[in-house]
Amino acid sequence: MGICTSKRKVDENVQIVPYKVCITAFIWNKESHNLFDFESNQVTKKEIELDFSGTLSMVDNQIIALTDNEYVNKQIQLLRVDCEQEYMMLSGMSQKSDQRVWAILCNRPDFESLNEWELQKGDMIKLGRMKLQLLEINHDIDTLQQQKEQIENDDELQSKDLELEASQCRICFSKNGSLSNPLFSPCKCIGSMKYVHLNCLQIWIQQSIKIKNQQSSIQYIWKKMECEVCKMPLQSTYTYQGQIFCIMQIQKPIVPYMIWKITSDDKSKEGIIQVMELIDKQDIKIGRVPDCDIKLKDISVSRNHALIKVIKSEYNQYKLLLQDNNSKFGTLLHASSGKLLKYELQSPQKVLYQIGRVLLHVQLKEKGKSYNKQFTCYRHPNQILVFPKKSINEQATIVPNLEKDKDNQLSFQTHNELNQDDIVINVKQI
Ligand SMILES: [Zn+2]
Ligand SMILES: [Zn+2]
């Protein structure tokens, strides 16, 4: 086998956009239950730039960006970056809690991000290991009227699909479901045990719920809810045709009020639905100390962690503004709208994201005229090992010192002529 030198671009099918996505990553080196300690000085900072759609991955505590045709051994995918000509979208790689993309609320001079956020129904926030989801905010009589009308019209909207499946409630044996009382499948049971009415399940589940009355709020607390047949844990809320349903019967107070679902990353801890009246409230304190309105009993939550400002506007509408209160692990937000993950070239927003123990600061920068539009590989660490899949022993070393590379291309030397599909990039500091 003779030695020949091949010089090529790794990926030639990349669409080039008129901007650069500039990412600053802060990695907290300690394994940390997916928390990031803002007060720690053991943080590694790294800059990455890309101008193509691809995935940001972590390999051996390094952050790299890869096109869709590239693969790296032992990579943990963090973030999907989709570059269109006019805008850029970020998305998470998974809905699992440790891989979710959270926006951070903070007002620390060294980490620039959102200061506050107007909460919307469905938004999720994370304080330490505790997660809270805003299930409902109801401030106006009209909404109640609409809901009532919806329920009255409901019987006409029965799902025909469900009837076709010959579904039947395992408790009352009726075959009719509706939008306000859907027939659904909450667990792994099959056959005649598969479906149950929401209302039938609510009545059955009520025995395992503890109700705690506090000043201007009611808590519904459960330790463990499971199907008594298949033993699968039941979720406290289900989404059916875009509506969130609780599987416990919630007594709704007079408007305005809000309903939160509170759970912990620690699955052995109890879950809570908290219903809070908003009338005469200005500040709602969330934290670990007893005088908080939403008390979270977990050491990862700061004593006075976050604040919700209740702002009454015209027409009796209420705004809920969430702020962080200089907490140790930050106040994290997963907005139900995708607004925080979309970047227009003209109106760049400043958001700091967290995925696990990595913080990412993302900015779009328009390319200058002098910018070379050729594909560049500033995304890789200083040195990379490349080898063909077929023969692991044959390795080639790439030294893409790109700023200085004449061709501005990722090139490498190998003993064989390789096809693009043959290439596995194994990132390793040499
Ligand atoms: Zn039923
Ligand atoms: Zn079951």
Side-chain angles (χ1 to χ4, degrees):
M1 195 189 334
I3 295 173
C4 70
T5 303
S6 116
K7 195 168 191 185
R8 61 167 68 233
K9 287 192 264 179
V10 160
D11 192 335
E12 289 165 348
N13 306 319
V14 178
Q15 192 201 6
I16 304 295
V17 289
Y19 53 84
K20 286 191 284 182
V21 183
C22 303
I23 298 173
T24 310
F26 303 90
I27 308 156
W28 188 26
N29 300 322
K30 261 171 76 174
E31 195 37 73
S32 58
H33 303 283
N34 298 309
L35 302 172
F36 185 95
D37 184 356
F38 285 85
E39 285 149 20
S40 166
N41 48 18
Q42 291 172 310
V43 171
T44 310
K45 189 174 163 187
K46 178 150 168 84
E47 311 273 351
I48 308 122
E49 290 184 0
L50 61 154
D51 61 355
F52 51 85
S53 296
T55 310
L56 219 59
S57 292
M58 185 137 123
V59 186
D60 290 342
N61 260 343
Q62 291 261 16
I63 306 270
I64 56 168
L66 297 166
T67 66
D68 295 333
N69 294 331
E70 291 170 313
Y71 171 80
V72 172
N73 289 335
K74 290 189 194 158
Q75 62 177 338
I76 302 164
Q77 296 189 320
L78 296 178
L79 186 68
R80 170 88 207 153
V81 180
D82 282 297
C83 294
E84 303 293 338
Q85 291 297 318
E86 307 291 320
Y87 65 90
M88 184 273 293
M89 277 293 287
L90 302 173
S91 47
M93 301 305 294
S94 158
Q95 285 304 304
K96 274 202 238 157
S97 178
D98 57 341
Q99 285 166 305
R100 209 185 278 269
V101 184
W102 299 92
I104 298 175
L105 291 177
C106 68
N107 39 24
R108 290 170 186 271
D110 42 345
F111 294 102
E112 203 177 3
S113 192
L114 300 170
N115 289 331
E116 60 180 20
W117 173 256
E118 188 183 338
L119 288 164
Q120 306 290 334
K121 182 179 167 182
D123 284 357
M124 220 182 281
I125 61 177
K126 188 166 181 275
L127 314 181
R129 284 179 300 198
M130 302 297 289
K131 275 199 293 279
L132 292 85
Q133 188 180 23
L134 183 59
L135 299 182
E136 197 174 327
I137 161 157
N138 210 333
H139 37 68
D140 116 58
I141 316 283
D142 291 348
T143 325
L144 272 190
Q145 189 57 40
Q146 279 170 16
Q147 280 182 351
K148 215 175 145 209
E149 281 167 19
Q150 190 191 335
I151 290 167
E152 278 163 7
N153 293 332
D154 209 20
D155 288 334
E156 298 161 23
L157 293 165
Q158 284 173 19
S159 165
K160 290 200 169 98
D161 295 346
L162 285 179
E163 282 175 37
L164 280 176
E165 281 181 39
S167 50
Q168 188 181 40
C169 176
R170 70 165 89 152
I171 295 175
C172 73
F173 307 115
S174 153
K175 290 186 175 183
N176 296 329
S178 64
L179 275 183
S180 59
N181 184 24
L183 255 180
F184 72 117
S185 162
C187 61
K188 282 192 239 163
C189 286
I190 48 166
S192 63
M193 292 301 286
K194 183 166 180 181
Y195 294 99
V196 65
H197 281 120
L198 176 73
N199 290 354
C200 294
L201 186 63
Q202 280 176 334
I203 294 164
W204 180 79
I205 214 82
Q206 218 58 22
Q207 57 188 342
S208 44
I209 306 293
K210 203 169 86 189
I211 298 173
K212 206 164 145 187
N213 272 297
Q214 292 165 320
Q215 205 192 2
S216 73
S217 84
I218 305 173
Q219 285 189 329
Y220 298 81
I221 306 165
W222 68 94
K223 190 92 193 169
K224 203 176 181 185
M225 287 187 292
E226 60 180 27
C227 169
E228 59 180 357
V229 182
C230 71
K231 302 290 173 204
M232 184 176 159
L234 298 175
Q235 295 173 46
S236 54
T237 52
Y238 287 86
T239 306
Y240 180 77
Q241 304 210 341
Q243 296 278 340
I244 306 174
F245 293 96
C246 270
I247 65 160
M248 53 207 77
Q249 273 169 332
I250 303 286
Q251 275 186 13
K252 303 204 170 161
I254 31 163
V255 288
Y257 65 87
M258 59 177 184
I259 304 179
W260 287 92
K261 174 165 97 168
I262 305 168
T263 49
S264 169
D265 278 355
D266 179 354
K267 295 280 174 264
S268 66
K269 291 223 167 165
E270 60 192 18
I272 298 168
I273 297 277
Q274 183 159 348
V275 184
M276 284 187 86
E277 289 173 21
L278 288 174
I279 203 125
D280 301 330
K281 286 266 184 202
Q282 283 173 344
D283 289 338
I284 292 164
K285 290 189 265 178
I286 315 177
R288 216 173 69 223
V289 291
D291 75 325
C292 283
D293 303 282
I294 300 180
K295 273 189 284 288
L296 302 173
K297 289 180 231 155
D298 192 285
I299 192 74
S300 63
V301 176
S302 295
R303 293 166 58 79
N304 286 292
H305 198 119
L307 192 70
I308 297 171
K309 289 205 164 292
V310 183
I311 294 163
K312 191 177 171 185
S313 59
E314 292 169 72
Y315 315 114
N316 279 347
Q317 298 281 317
Y318 284 73
K319 262 193 199 174
L320 302 177
L321 289 180
L322 174 70
Q323 297 172 346
D324 179 61
N325 198 11
N326 273 323
S327 62
K328 184 174 167 69
F329 295 117
T331 296
L332 276 52
L333 166 75
H334 186 83
S336 56
S337 75
K339 204 170 135 194
L340 288 172
L341 298 169
K342 187 172 177 179
Y343 282 70
E344 308 275 352
L345 193 51
Q346 300 309 326
S347 55
Q349 54 182 342
K350 287 207 169 78
V351 186
L352 189 65
Y353 304 97
Q354 181 174 341
I355 307 162
R357 59 197 164 93
V358 179
L359 300 193
L360 298 168
H361 195 276
V362 180
Q363 269 182 297
L364 293 198
K365 284 187 188 160
E366 219 160 332
K367 285 175 182 171
K369 276 196 179 125
S370 61
Y371 187 83
N372 188 337
K373 282 207 168 186
Q374 259 183 319
F375 178 67
T376 54
C377 284
Y378 26 60
R379 62 196 190 281
H380 295 299
N382 297 337
Q383 292 185 316
I384 300 170
L385 275 182
V386 175
F387 52 88
K389 269 183 199 164
K390 287 171 193 158
S391 159
I392 300 271
N393 295 329
E394 282 194 72
Q395 294 194 340
T397 309
I398 307 180
V399 187
N401 193 355
L402 288 149
E403 265 19 282
K404 289 163 197 159
D405 184 358
K406 270 187 241 141
D407 300 333
N408 231 359
Q409 291 182 3
L410 171 61
S411 55
F412 58 88
Q413 292 186 322
T414 170
H415 300 294
N416 265 332
E417 205 38 58
L418 301 178
N419 290 319
Q420 199 167 297
D421 297 343
D422 292 334
I423 298 170
V424 175
I425 298 178
N426 190 23
V427 178
K428 195 159 138 187
Q429 286 298 85
I430 302 166

